[in-house]
Amino acid sequence: AARLLAGTGKHERLIPYTLLCGMLFMLIVHLLSGMNWLGSQLPVNIVCSIMGAPLIAWLLIRLRARF
């Protein structure tokens, strides 16, 4: 996702985008896991898996369409 946002493969631009994307993703996951769902909190790893799996699948499908 960071490479798609940066629009380049140059590491001097890619590394900050990677850090920003990872930070935002984990912040959203942490906030969602802290909410009370049905009276209890969900662990961060469960919320991360629920959000991350569709994101990875979308990225793989999008990148496969390029080749």
Side-chain angles (χ1 to χ4, degrees):
R3 186 173 301 218
L4 295 175
L5 288 174
T8 183
K10 293 184 178 182
H11 294 292
E12 58 268 4
R13 289 194 59 203
L14 188 59
I15 291 173
Y17 277 99
T18 303
L19 291 171
L20 182 65
C21 287
M23 179 185 65
L24 289 175
F25 180 74
M26 289 309 293
L27 178 66
I28 291 169
V29 166
H30 180 71
L31 291 173
L32 287 175
S33 69
M35 293 180 178
N36 286 332
W37 301 93
L38 303 173
S40 64
Q41 294 179 347
L42 290 174
V44 173
N45 59 350
I46 291 176
V47 179
C48 187
S49 298
I50 290 170
M51 290 181 61
L55 178 65
I56 295 294
W58 175 75
L59 285 173
L60 287 174
I61 290 170
R62 183 172 175 169
L63 291 175
R64 186 174 291 170
R66 286 186 176 183
F67 294 111

